Amino acid sequence: MLVDWFCSSASWLHVAILTVCLNLRYSLYGLPFLARWKDVAWWKKAYLIWTLTDETYALEVKHIDLEEAQFIPYCLALGGFDHLYWVVGVTAGALAGRALPFSSEGIDFAMSALFIVIMVDQYRERANRMPAAIGAAAALGSFLLFGVESMLIPSMAGMLTIFLCLRGRLDRSST
Amino acid sequence: MNGFWNLFAVAAAAGITTVALRVFPFVVLGRGGRRPKIIEYLGRVLTPASILMLVVYCLGGYYKNGLPPNTVRALAPAIATVFVIFMQWTVRKSLLSVFAGTIVYMFLVQYCSTLGY
């Protein structure tokens, strides 16, 4: 996703605001571990928080009932390995990208495909459908009004407004 | 702002914001451990909504100069999107759906679009 921002010469403010909206979930990921990681040394805790990505979170939350003596090393190791996979994957991608023997035109669709896959998976859960529809409506509206380059901030402002106005209805229906 | 510094600013903005969001609950809620209801609600609804926004954003990028004159090129994103949805809905293998969808798209724009429609 960053690649797209690099190419589209978005301003850093755009990117910061978009990152907040996209990654707001990271703020929620910390919540289950607040109590569990309370007594961990600060530098270990910093690393645990640093590596708390989607996949790390999913696997750590799964084993949150482990004893303290097992849980902390488990989280540290998991975070470390995920970190390693990222670094290795990115390096390999950068090296392989240069040596590719065929035209890579259209490979950018991989990113669209990834979001479509996540969209389909989320659609299976009924509680996600209304928020997703609101997001799509806000995004489509601002795409048509403002064009693709400047659609992100108006569409986020739009969906935030709708979500705050409809909180009474949506909050009840999804809990 | 030109090339390098813009790149630097974008990377720094994304990186710092992401880490700040991860640290945020530990700093703010470190003691009490009570989470504000509205944050929880927004986190829940914004995730599916922002994915839809990204889908629109990505697909919209293919049409930012209007419809491409080449029919295959104009239809390729739509065809590949339908294909990915179908794959993920039936087979449910995320990596396979992404991979196959990308291959279909690349095949369409690189080969089929040269057939002259």
Side-chain angles (χ1 to χ4, degrees):
Chain A
M1 188 163 8
L2 266 176
V3 179
D4 219 37
W5 293 339
F6 286 150
C7 299
S8 71
S9 72
S11 85
W12 63 270
L13 190 65
H14 263 76
V15 173
I17 295 175
L18 183 68
T19 311
V20 168
C21 277
L22 259 182
N23 291 350
L24 200 61
R25 62 184 194 283
Y26 288 134
S27 289
L28 301 172
Y29 287 178
L31 298 174
F33 305 116
L34 280 174
R36 291 306 313 260
W37 292 350
K38 207 156 59 185
D39 303 321
V40 182
W42 69 268
W43 53 275
K44 279 189 194 167
K45 196 164 164 181
Y47 190 68
L48 288 173
I49 298 173
W50 172 265
T51 55
L52 193 57
T53 55
D54 298 275
E55 52 274 33
T56 317
Y57 165 77
L59 292 170
E60 287 178 0
V61 119
K62 220 162 150 184
H63 294 281
I64 198 161
D65 293 329
L66 280 175
E67 276 175 46
E68 181 93 5
Q70 289 181 312
F71 185 64
I72 304 303
Y74 169 75
C75 291
L76 281 169
L78 193 64
F81 274 116
D82 277 349
H83 198 170
L84 186 72
Y85 295 151
W86 262 95
V87 174
V88 171
V90 167
T91 314
L95 293 177
R98 288 181 189 194
L100 224 54
F102 53 88
S103 163
S104 63
E105 191 200 351
I107 204 157
D108 50 306
F109 193 79
M111 193 169 66
S112 316
L114 178 68
F115 293 137
I116 296 165
V117 161
I118 300 174
M119 173 186 83
V120 171
D121 283 341
Q122 287 183 341
Y123 182 80
R124 296 182 209 276
E125 198 148 328
R126 186 172 288 272
N128 283 332
R129 292 181 191 172
M130 199 55 199
I134 292 171
L140 215 55
S142 20
F143 169 64
L144 294 174
L145 278 174
F146 302 102
V148 75
E149 264 108 13
S150 38
M151 64 169 273
L152 290 173
I153 288 180
S155 64
M156 280 184 306
M159 68 175 81
L160 260 177
T161 313
I162 300 175
F163 283 139
L164 290 175
C165 290
L166 294 182
R167 187 180 171 202
R169 290 188 53 191
L170 283 173
D171 215 0
R172 216 171 346 131
S173 62
S174 53
T175 42
Chain B
M1 248 187 333
N2 55 13
F4 174 77
W5 286 110
N6 192 39
L7 216 88
F8 183 80
V10 166
I16 292 170
T17 321
T18 303
V19 173
L21 282 169
R22 283 188 201 155
V23 172
F24 177 72
F26 288 90
V27 173
V28 174
L29 305 171
R31 302 286 153 222
R34 235 175 351 103
R35 52 186 101 169
K37 274 247 154 57
I38 190 149
I39 297 291
E40 208 177 310
Y41 162 70
L42 283 179
R44 198 168 50 228
V45 292
L46 277 181
T47 306
S50 56
I51 291 294
L52 259 294
M53 178 181 75
L54 288 170
V55 170
V56 173
Y57 180 58
C58 281
L59 294 180
Y62 296 108
Y63 298 106
K64 64 178 160 199
N65 303 320
L67 273 184
N70 184 304
T71 316
V72 176
R73 273 181 187 277
L75 289 177
I79 296 171
T81 300
V82 172
F83 180 75
V84 172
I85 293 175
F86 174 76
M87 288 286 292
Q88 188 61 14
W89 190 254
T90 53
V91 188
R92 288 194 181 203
K93 295 267 182 282
S94 306
L95 268 180
L96 181 69
S97 305
V98 170
F99 201 73
T102 309
I103 300 281
V104 166
Y105 182 76
M106 289 172 77
F107 182 74
L108 285 172
V109 293
Q110 286 187 25
Y111 178 71
C112 296
S113 63
T114 61
L115 298 180
Y117 293 105

